[in-house]
Amino acid sequence: MPKVGMEPIRRQQLINATMAAIDEVGLAETTVMRIARHAGVSAGIISHYFGGKDGLLEATMRQILTDLTTAVAVRRHALEDNSPRAHIGAIIEGNFDRTQVTGPAAKTWLAFWASSMHKPMLQRLQNVNDRRLYSNLCHQFRRVMPRLEARNAARGLAAMIDGLWLRGALTPEGLDAEEARFLAHAYLDQLFAHYGCQ
Amino acid sequence: MPKVGMEPIRRQQLINATMAAIDEVGLAETTVMRIARHAGVSAGIISHYFGGKDGLLEATMRQILTDLTTAVAVRRHALEDNSPRAHIGAIIEGNFDRTQVTGPAAKTWLAFWASSMHKPMLQRLQNVNDRRLYSNLCHQFRRVMPRLEARNAARGLAAMIDGLWLRGALTPEGLDAEEARFLAHAYLDQLFAHYGCQ
DNA sequence: TTTTATTGATTGAACGTTCAATAAAAAAAT
DNA sequence: ATTTTTTTATTGAACGTTCAATCAATAAAA
């Protein structure tokens, strides 16, 4: 069945298949054969396109992080209001985007999160994204509060977002995105209110 | 070297060795041989005392959860003040206890957390503990706010605690327990203040 | 006919478990 | 107090399984 220009198609198929497999049986039991079966191809193709299993896993994590960044960026560029609150709200909304929160992506993310503790490459990827989230939040908070308060607000909100995310990934029913967004926004309101009272 | 009564000693040695191994190379690369080497015994002993690798991993998770429960219970029983705020404060302090937050226990916890998504037994353990944290928080918040507000406060604080924990486990330097406690308490203050204003 | 994409049997390494052998301590016998 | 026997704890080589990676063979498109 070899047509020309299969590479981008196969790569995407295999990345999707990887998420499906991790969602199904977890990272520990995700074998190249299982991924290949999900994608409807043979196992050997993985080494051909990604150099090996690790290459595919790395590409999958990259995709998830890229999707998240995009989800946030889209919402921030669509803002009419340029206020700090609007920007931070967009960051929250982006982090609880459907494509991120629903199904395979959520469990895959948590699996990589844990895995990144001992795999330098994944750790690097995760760190870059982490820092961007914190730095974005901090920058917006800085527009309405002093440095120290902004720093703490950013760390608190980042922890809240990750915590809601983590708990969502672990509950069998999956994350209730609406409730998570509500709680994150409520916390944001409190942060602003608290500063307003000082 | 067989003395009688080795069982409890070996069991504890192997559980500690398991945490050390997971801290060192991650759950995925934690083999029975590596655990055995850490404990200074042979690999076969693991099957003898725990029925197999899975039994040892389960026992290790049980120990971590028990330690956490104990850390919280000790602080709550030591309270002079019976106020909701004091109880919730004790829960926060217990969750950021040194023995939990420092070193091997932290990474082991996160590893099990991710693993529990696809291992029913671990999931059960994790769920029980989760529910207790939520239920304890909810009960205390109920003493000073209506049901719906209490529910949201409990979910928010639980997410905050887990989020701080997660971020701490992932940063190379480990969790800054002092900062985490500060942020959690600050959030708690806001929750109370927010209700007081309504 | 040439190029490109794909297969799948094979290979070698790594892993968890098992179990007969061993060795030390405890108990019993002298 | 010795020696012998029994019990208990532990070892580590062998076994079967699983997995990722390889590569010669194949088949479709160009």
Side-chain angles (χ1 to χ4, degrees):
Chain A
M1 308 141 186
K3 292 181 193 163
V4 294
M6 280 280 98
E7 182 160 342
I9 296 169
R10 289 276 178 258
R11 290 180 75 97
Q12 194 57 55
Q13 280 180 334
L14 288 168
I15 287 173
N16 293 342
T18 302
M19 292 197 236
I22 293 176
D23 178 51
E24 196 177 311
V25 296
L27 182 57
E29 299 194 45
T30 292
T31 65
V32 291
M33 272 203 192
R34 191 183 288 267
I35 295 172
R37 198 174 340 122
H38 260 284
V41 294
S42 83
I45 216 79
I46 288 173
S47 290
H48 182 246
Y49 282 124
F50 293 95
K53 190 187 182 185
D54 283 347
L56 174 54
L57 293 179
E58 187 190 318
T60 304
M61 186 172 186
R62 280 203 141 88
Q63 164 118 248
I64 290 180
L65 293 179
T66 301
D67 287 349
L68 174 63
T69 301
T70 303
V72 171
V74 163
R75 280 158 216 265
R76 290 186 74 184
H77 283 109
L79 289 179
E80 300 160 4
D81 180 356
N82 199 42
S83 68
R85 189 188 211 97
H87 276 280
I88 298 171
I91 293 173
I92 291 175
E93 293 295 316
N95 271 277
F96 293 108
D97 184 271
R98 297 279 160 148
T99 62
Q100 293 293 317
V101 160
T102 310
K107 287 187 177 175
T108 304
W109 187 322
L110 180 51
F112 279 132
W113 234 344
S115 180
S116 76
M117 284 191 295
H118 297 96
K119 299 205 174 177
M121 178 55 82
L122 298 187
Q123 191 165 37
R124 222 194 90 258
L125 290 176
Q126 190 255 327
N127 230 310
V128 168
N129 244 69
D130 228 40
R131 261 196 251 278
R132 181 170 44 221
L133 171 60
Y134 170 71
S135 143
N136 283 340
L137 288 175
C138 213
H139 182 256
Q140 295 301 324
F141 279 121
R142 272 288 286 165
R143 293 170 62 193
V144 289
M145 40 181 102
R147 173 157 16 169
L148 195 68
E149 279 79 359
R151 208 190 74 128
N152 285 335
R155 300 206 174 182
L157 185 55
M160 173 68 83
I161 290 172
D162 286 349
L164 289 168
W165 231 93
L166 174 64
R167 303 194 128 240
L170 287 176
T171 39
E173 314 91 43
L175 175 56
D176 182 339
E178 199 167 347
E179 184 178 308
R181 295 207 313 264
F182 173 78
L183 288 170
H185 279 290
Y187 179 48
L188 178 58
D189 290 344
Q190 284 174 28
L191 285 170
F192 276 108
H194 181 254
Y195 176 71
C197 294
Q198 268 185 337
Chain B
M1 308 143 184
K3 292 181 193 164
V4 294
M6 279 281 97
E7 182 159 343
I9 296 169
R10 288 275 178 258
R11 289 181 74 97
Q12 194 58 57
Q13 280 181 334
L14 288 168
I15 286 172
N16 293 342
T18 302
M19 291 197 236
I22 293 176
D23 179 50
E24 198 177 311
V25 295
L27 182 56
E29 298 194 45
T30 293
T31 67
V32 292
M33 271 201 193
R34 191 183 288 267
I35 295 172
R37 195 169 350 116
H38 259 284
V41 295
S42 83
I45 216 79
I46 288 173
S47 291
H48 183 246
Y49 282 125
F50 292 95
K53 190 189 181 186
D54 283 347
L56 174 54
L57 294 179
E58 186 190 318
T60 304
M61 187 173 185
R62 280 205 141 87
Q63 164 117 248
I64 290 181
L65 294 179
T66 300
D67 288 349
L68 174 63
T69 301
T70 303
V72 171
V74 162
R75 280 158 217 263
R76 291 186 72 183
H77 284 109
L79 289 180
E80 301 159 2
D81 180 354
N82 200 42
S83 69
R85 189 189 211 96
H87 276 279
I88 298 171
I91 293 174
I92 291 175
E93 293 295 316
N95 271 278
F96 293 107
D97 183 270
R98 297 279 160 148
T99 62
Q100 294 292 317
V101 161
T102 310
K107 287 187 178 175
T108 305
W109 186 322
L110 180 52
F112 279 132
W113 233 344
S115 179
S116 77
M117 284 192 295
H118 297 96
K119 300 205 173 177
M121 176 57 80
L122 298 186
Q123 190 165 36
R124 222 194 90 257
L125 291 175
Q126 191 255 326
N127 230 310
V128 168
N129 244 69
D130 228 40
R131 262 197 250 278
R132 181 169 46 221
L133 171 61
Y134 170 70
S135 143
N136 282 340
L137 288 175
C138 212
H139 182 256
Q140 295 300 323
F141 279 121
R142 272 289 286 165
R143 291 169 63 193
V144 289
M145 40 180 102
R147 173 153 18 165
L148 195 68
E149 279 78 0
R151 208 190 74 128
N152 284 336
R155 300 206 173 180
L157 185 54
M160 173 68 83
I161 290 172
D162 286 349
L164 288 167
W165 231 94
L166 174 64
R167 303 193 129 241
L170 287 177
T171 38
E173 315 90 44
L175 176 56
D176 182 339
E178 201 166 345
E179 184 179 310
R181 293 207 314 263
F182 172 77
L183 288 171
H185 279 291
Y187 179 49
L188 178 58
D189 290 344
Q190 284 174 28
L191 285 171
F192 276 107
H194 181 255
Y195 177 70
C197 293
Q198 268 186 337

